[in-house]
Amino acid sequence: MVHKEKNHAFRMLVLIANSKLGENATEVFLDNDIPIHYHLNGIGTASSEMVDILGLGSSDKTVLISVLPKEFANQMLFKLRRELRIGRVNSGIAFTLPISGASNIMLKMIAQMEVDEETSETGKEGKAMTDQEYSMIAVIVEQGYSEEIMDTARKAGANGGTVLHSRGIGDETKLNVWNFSIQGEKEIIVIAALNKHKLDIMQSISEKYGINTKAKGVVISVPIDNVIGLDYY
């Protein structure tokens, strides 16, 4: 059962960082008794030449995802910046996305989390952006198009992105009516971008790699609540 909680606001916290920082962030999550979080492996979209120039060592990325009460999510952004210095050049980004509901057992678990009032306001640490200044753009496409899509996105104003690999699941019979196949291996390109660039990025990608092209791309966006690290992402 999916339940909308009236007494609490909830956020999805997403961290995208290099592998080492990802390991350290996992320890921060555990130390703060976060009951549920998920660990995914991703690939940065910088070219191998750029990785060498910047001294990044690897384009491998760790993606951590958790659902938290809003104030606790803000507190975790503060701690990630303070303890891991997320936001430094080439370190990674962390942001929160508003959600409207979750399963009852999840809500009961996370609603009991206690907020540290001294660190709950992310803005005390400087550059957490608010007022939905940014959006997360997600592009779901056939495999092999991520580099081309990121080139297109950068020309429209994006700074960077992360690629996740997945497998589509759906009712093939119904989707065939729309000339759309969801089965098979897919790539998900996640891009955090300023809202002033969002429409241009989405339109540029849709025109070249949309549902009626060989890439079979689907493009969506979600408003970002708070974010750290986008200056260097």
Side-chain angles (χ1 to χ4, degrees):
M1 178 179 178
V2 175
H3 175 65
K4 291 186 177 180
E5 178 62 54
K6 294 181 180 179
N7 297 325
H8 298 278
F10 295 93
R11 294 294 184 267
M12 178 179 290
L13 173 62
V14 181
L15 167 75
I16 303 174
N18 59 52
S19 298
K20 179 60 178 177
L21 272 178
E23 293 177 5
N24 294 338
T26 298
E27 293 300 320
V28 174
F29 277 44
L30 294 174
D31 289 344
N32 285 273
D33 297 321
I34 294 179
I36 302 172
H37 66 271
Y38 300 93
H39 183 137
L40 297 83
N41 295 320
I43 302 172
T45 57
S47 66
S48 58
E49 292 84 359
M50 185 59 68
V51 168
D52 292 338
I53 291 171
L54 295 177
L56 298 179
S58 172
S59 62
D60 292 343
K61 298 292 182 182
T62 292
V63 182
L64 293 177
I65 298 175
S66 182
V67 176
L68 303 167
K70 179 180 178 182
E71 287 303 311
F72 201 95
N74 290 343
Q75 175 183 320
M76 286 303 301
L77 284 179
F78 178 94
K79 289 186 176 182
L80 289 170
R81 173 180 282 278
R82 183 185 62 189
E83 297 180 21
L84 302 183
R85 300 183 64 82
I86 296 294
R88 293 177 303 171
V89 176
N90 304 327
S91 62
I93 66 169
F95 54 88
T96 57
L97 306 171
I99 62 173
S100 59
S103 63
N104 282 324
I105 189 169
M106 177 181 287
L107 292 180
K108 288 178 181 178
M109 290 172 65
I110 61 182
Q112 296 175 3
M113 302 176 72
E114 296 183 359
V115 176
D116 182 349
E117 297 296 337
E118 292 184 0
T119 60
S120 63
E121 295 182 19
T122 313
K124 291 181 180 179
E125 189 63 12
K127 288 190 176 180
M129 305 298 183
T130 57
D131 298 326
Q132 298 181 345
E133 185 178 353
Y134 289 86
S135 290
M136 184 192 78
I137 300 170
V139 187
I140 306 169
V141 294
E142 302 289 342
Q143 284 197 345
Y145 290 91
S146 57
E147 290 188 11
E148 298 175 37
I149 287 173
M150 277 310 307
D151 285 342
T152 298
R154 287 191 183 94
K155 292 176 182 177
N159 289 327
T162 300
V163 181
L164 304 173
H165 294 280
S166 67
R167 185 179 186 278
I169 299 174
D171 188 331
E172 198 72 12
T173 302
K174 293 181 180 178
L175 292 172
N176 283 338
V177 175
W178 300 95
N179 191 31
F180 179 57
S181 174
I182 198 170
Q183 302 296 330
E185 301 300 318
K186 304 288 183 180
E187 290 178 339
I188 303 175
I189 301 100
V190 178
I191 303 167
L194 282 164
N195 282 335
K196 65 181 182 181
H197 298 311
K198 179 183 72 174
L199 187 57
D200 287 342
I201 293 170
M202 296 180 72
Q203 287 181 337
S204 297
I205 294 172
S206 294
E207 287 173 2
K208 294 185 178 180
Y209 307 99
I211 196 67
N212 293 319
T213 69
K214 291 182 179 180
K216 303 292 183 185
V218 176
V219 187
I220 62 173
S221 68
V222 181
I224 288 176
D225 210 35
N226 285 322
V227 59
I228 56 174
L230 266 178
D231 289 345
Y232 306 113
Y233 184 58

